[in-house]
């Protein structure tokens, strides 16, 4: 992705936080006709493989899609894919500058990963993968899943294609006007008084130590 050096963040903790807090990813493969195929799929990041094996320095992503989804066949037949996570994002007005010769822009946090795909076949491993996703989003549902009839859970597991994606390369964009520190206080105040997404960006500014005398929290 286009990544000017002032917005290129190399702290792995920040990329991991974006992937955990905004798990709905865009997965891109190349179709048989050479045109990109995209699916929106929630993914679970973890440091090690589902089997406890050592992962790359960037970790792995776990997920699944419906077996009926044509993208499932591409993931099974192609060893590589591109995965993108979009974190909080919002418009930024040029009104945050004292100098009026400025233009609007857009603030955002994003992660892009090149991955190696591994299909998870055994039903027991697919079940373990589902439990990782359940733990992320609704831990209390784990008990309900365990109490469902085996005939039902088996049918549900057979209806998905599960996969583990080893992250081979990772880029993290944090575009919060880092190169214009004179506007940070006004920018933070505007976001803090805005929508819930804009308020999230204000908290990121705080956590990254972009405000005067504010130490980084990440």
């Amino acid at each position: 992705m286009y990544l000017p050096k002032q917005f290129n963040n190399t702290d792995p903790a920040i990329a991991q936080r974006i992937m955990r807090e905004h798990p709905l990813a865009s997965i891109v493969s190349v179709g048989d006709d050479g045109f990109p195929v995209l699916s929106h799929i929630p993914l679970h990041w973890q440091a090690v493989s589902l089997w406890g094996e050592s992962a790359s320095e960037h970790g792995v992503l776990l997920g699944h899609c419906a077996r009926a989804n044509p993208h499932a066949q591409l993931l099974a037949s192609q060893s590589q894919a591109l995965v993108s996570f979009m974190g909080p994002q919002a418009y930024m007005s040029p009104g945050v500058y004292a100098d009026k010769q400025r233009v609007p822009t857009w603030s955002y946090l994003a992660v892009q990963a090149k991955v190696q795909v591994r299909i998870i076949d055994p039903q027991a491993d697919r079940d373990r993968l589902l439990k990782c996703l359940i733990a992320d989003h609704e831990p209390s549902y784990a008990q309900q899943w365990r109490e469902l009839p085996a005939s039902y859970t088996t049918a549900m597991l057979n209806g998905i294609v599960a996969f583990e994606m080893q992250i081979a390369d990772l880029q993290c964009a944090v575009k919060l006007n880092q190169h214009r520190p004179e506007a940070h206080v006004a920018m933070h105040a505007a976001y803090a008084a805005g929508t819930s997404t804009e308020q999230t960006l204000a908290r990121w500014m705080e956590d990254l130590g972009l405000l005067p005398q504010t130490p980084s929290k990440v």
Side-chain angles (χ1 to χ4, degrees):
M1 61 180 168
Y2 175 59
L3 190 54
K5 62 181 181 180
Q6 64 265 32
F7 306 134
N8 183 14
N9 196 292
T10 58
D11 184 347
I14 292 175
Q16 292 162 19
R17 176 177 167 184
I18 294 170
M19 291 186 286
R20 290 195 304 267
E21 293 183 359
H22 303 273
L24 184 63
S26 298
I27 302 177
V28 182
S29 300
V30 179
D32 294 336
D33 59 357
F35 197 79
V37 175
L38 184 149
S39 292
H40 302 290
I41 297 174
L43 299 177
H44 165 85
W45 179 90
Q46 60 184 42
V48 299
S49 165
L50 185 65
W51 298 272
E53 302 166 356
S54 297
S56 74
E57 60 177 314
H58 304 299
V60 298
L61 299 166
L62 304 177
H64 67 86
C65 63
R67 193 170 295 275
N69 184 345
H71 202 159
Q73 300 306 314
L74 293 176
L75 293 173
S77 62
Q78 298 177 8
S79 61
Q80 292 185 318
L82 182 68
V83 179
S84 177
F85 296 84
M86 177 55 71
Q89 46 82 26
Y91 171 82
M92 191 187 77
S93 167
V96 300
Y97 300 104
D99 179 2
K100 298 307 178 184
Q101 293 188 34
R102 297 293 178 186
V103 295
T105 189
W106 209 270
S107 300
Y108 64 86
L109 287 79
V111 172
Q112 180 172 287
K114 295 179 181 178
V115 300
Q116 297 287 331
V117 183
R118 178 180 183 179
I119 298 299
I120 299 173
D121 280 327
Q123 180 174 305
D125 287 340
R126 276 180 275 154
D127 183 70
R128 289 171 57 206
L129 179 145
L130 287 182
K131 287 184 170 63
C132 290
L133 294 172
I134 290 170
D136 279 350
H137 306 295
E138 191 179 6
S140 61
Y141 179 72
Q143 182 62 35
Q144 181 176 331
W145 173 256
R146 286 191 293 268
E147 293 173 352
L148 292 170
S151 58
Y152 178 82
T153 56
T154 297
M156 293 296 100
L157 288 168
N158 287 339
I160 65 172
V161 171
F163 48 82
E164 177 179 272
M165 295 174 160
Q166 185 100 208
I167 301 175
D169 185 61
L170 192 71
Q171 291 182 303
C172 179
V174 176
K175 186 176 181 291
L176 288 171
N177 223 24
Q178 293 94 318
H179 59 315
R180 301 292 183 191
E182 72 278 7
H184 286 173
V185 172
M187 179 178 169
H188 177 267
Y191 280 156
T195 66
S196 59
T197 299
E198 291 170 334
Q199 290 170 18
T200 299
L201 287 170
R203 288 192 292 272
W204 268 100
M205 293 185 71
E206 297 165 11
D207 293 348
L208 292 168
L210 296 182
L211 303 176
Q213 300 180 341
T214 302
S216 173
K217 297 181 183 178
V218 292

